[in-house]
Amino acid sequence: MIDQKNLLSQITEISFTVNDLNLYLDTHPLDENALDAFKDAMTQRKQLLQTYADNFEPLTMNCICPDTNNKTKTLTKYPDQRHFTWCDGPLPWEGGAF
């Protein structure tokens, strides 16, 4: 079973890295090492966000999929029904991961 709190912490950390690299690349757009680091961090962030969406709730609009959201069927008003969700359960900023 995936630890929701730990996964959210990993997403927060990699998101900080992505944002930091983004700011750096705004002023150093040709830095090859930073470009590679940004690409790697974005790939990792997308994977972590998708893992979170698959197991809990989507955290970004990019992860919303009515066909696959809330496979665990926890805290949903619509178990076994295809539906748009972003709020089946408490989201992390509402205390959902703690």
Side-chain angles (χ1 to χ4, degrees):
M1 173 151 237
I2 294 177
D3 179 356
Q4 185 179 12
K5 187 175 179 180
N6 182 42
L7 183 56
L8 188 59
S9 178
Q10 291 177 48
I11 291 169
T12 301
E13 290 171 14
I14 198 65
S15 294
F16 179 86
T17 300
V18 167
N19 291 337
D20 201 38
L21 286 165
N22 183 55
L23 291 172
Y24 177 80
L25 285 165
D26 281 344
T27 58
H28 301 81
L30 302 177
D31 186 324
E32 287 292 328
N33 291 330
L35 288 167
D36 290 341
F38 181 81
K39 180 183 172 187
D40 293 344
M42 282 295 291
T43 298
Q44 184 179 355
R45 183 176 184 272
K46 287 176 186 176
Q47 290 170 344
L48 290 169
L49 285 169
Q50 191 58 54
T51 299
Y52 194 93
D54 290 345
N55 289 279
F56 305 106
E57 297 284 334
L59 293 175
T60 68
M61 294 297 289
N62 299 357
C63 295
I64 294 176
C65 177
D67 296 324
T68 61
N69 284 155
N70 202 347
K71 286 189 234 176
T72 62
K73 301 176 188 170
T74 57
L75 301 172
T76 184
K77 297 175 189 170
Y78 315 103
D80 299 318
Q81 293 181 25
R82 183 173 183 259
H83 68 283
F84 180 87
T85 183
W86 167 252
C87 59
D88 276 341
L91 294 166
W93 51 89
E94 299 172 321
F98 305 100

